[in-house]
Amino acid sequence: MHATDQQTRAPVKSLHRDAVEAIAKWLMIGRYPVGAVLPTETEIGEELEISRTVVREAVRTLVAKGMLQVRRKTGTIVLPVSDWSLFDPEVLAWRFRYSRDATFVDDMTRFRAAIETIAVEICAARPDFDASVLHACCDEMAAALEGRGDWFAADLAFHRHILRGTDNQFILHMQPMLDNFFDAMLSPEVLRPENMRITLPYHRAIADAIAAGDPVRSRHEMLQLVHKGREDILSRIETSEP
């Protein structure tokens, strides 16, 4: 591809991405509730200062994510959350970024608790599970707090090692979806820097319990971390602007 082609296409991709984000935000904040008909392509284009073609492609993207449906003679309809691709990385990111729905946080917390408490129990009961990886992740998180390294990469590695360590075929099958979930849940948009230092001991307690081969304590420590995460997210929602 010639450089001129790249220069021509890059703005188009940016316009598309920005349009998708803008329309998704409208849905997240309830500007257009479930069952509502979106404005026409022309009206959306005028508001966002983009072409009808870009609007049409943005709508197609959101249709593919289960958020919108195009009906002949009716228009573009907003679908209920139950139809959305909830594990889609962009959908998750938008909900964390724009949604002010405590029910979403509670549902997410229960889902996370269900998966991760089972996972740590399995790992703690497996003599071949390498808990040293978890301790290394904790050390990396500690270093990141001092400005050396990436906290989020270490945090994600910690949780992914536990899930993969279960060697459970159903959990492993869900790994791509769970990866998207953790990418969004542990992102800088969700976690407050000041809360990272507070959660580090929770991570170390989980690693220690698994290393000790104690499923009951492992479950308890994971629940403590999950509920602390819920408190942090709710606090973020309460103090941030819609």
Side-chain angles (χ1 to χ4, degrees):
M1 182 184 295
H2 297 294
T4 53
D5 293 334
Q6 293 176 332
Q7 291 171 356
T8 301
R9 294 186 182 185
V12 173
K13 291 181 179 179
S14 178
L15 285 174
H16 171 76
R17 182 174 59 250
D18 291 347
V20 171
E21 177 96 9
I23 298 171
K25 181 179 180 180
W26 294 346
L27 306 184
M28 297 294 164
I29 65 176
R31 176 173 173 179
Y32 298 103
V34 175
V37 179
L38 291 189
T40 65
E41 292 175 356
T42 299
E43 291 169 331
I44 294 175
E46 289 175 353
E47 178 170 348
L48 299 180
E49 299 182 342
I50 54 178
S51 69
R52 290 177 57 191
T53 300
V54 175
V55 173
R56 190 176 302 119
E57 291 303 316
V59 167
R60 285 177 181 170
T61 297
L62 295 174
V63 166
K65 296 178 186 297
M67 300 171 71
L68 297 173
Q69 182 182 67
V70 178
R71 299 177 185 172
R72 293 184 61 185
K73 300 182 180 180
T74 301
T76 303
I77 310 297
V78 179
L79 296 179
V81 173
S82 57
D83 288 345
W84 296 6
S85 300
L86 296 182
F87 284 100
D88 182 287
E90 287 186 309
V91 174
L92 280 167
W94 292 329
R95 295 195 76 185
F96 278 116
R97 192 176 304 147
Y98 302 122
S99 176
R100 298 295 179 265
D101 185 358
T103 299
F104 163 66
V105 178
D106 285 338
D107 286 349
M108 177 207 67
T109 299
R110 293 187 182 100
F111 172 80
R112 180 185 176 190
I115 298 297
E116 290 207 280
T117 54
I118 291 172
V120 293
E121 287 179 337
I122 294 173
C123 292
R126 294 190 63 185
D128 60 339
F129 180 78
D130 188 0
S132 68
V133 174
L134 300 181
H135 288 113
C137 289
C138 290
D139 291 341
E140 290 174 13
M141 283 186 260
L145 290 173
E146 306 303 322
R148 305 187 311 276
D150 186 336
W151 167 281
F152 300 99
D155 199 351
L156 285 168
F158 181 95
H159 292 278
R160 286 169 176 166
H161 183 64
I162 290 173
L163 294 173
R164 291 167 184 160
T166 65
D167 200 28
N168 180 288
Q169 59 184 306
F170 293 101
I171 293 177
L172 294 176
H173 186 73
M174 293 177 67
Q175 188 69 53
M177 292 188 297
L178 291 169
D179 279 351
N180 293 339
F181 178 81
F182 284 113
D183 280 337
M185 186 180 64
L186 302 176
S187 71
E189 294 177 337
V190 176
L191 292 181
R192 293 172 179 269
E194 60 267 27
N195 289 336
M196 297 176 192
R197 193 175 299 275
I198 297 174
T199 63
L200 180 55
Y202 291 83
H203 288 86
R204 289 200 184 279
I206 293 167
D208 291 343
I210 293 177
D214 189 336
V216 175
R217 183 156 65 94
S218 298
R219 177 185 178 86
H220 171 76
E221 300 297 350
M222 178 57 77
L223 278 174
Q224 298 301 305
L225 177 61
V226 170
H227 287 299
K228 180 64 174 67
R230 175 184 179 276
E231 292 174 3
D232 292 344
I233 294 172
L234 287 174
S235 176
R236 188 68 174 248
I237 288 174
E238 291 170 359
T239 58
S240 61
E241 292 296 326

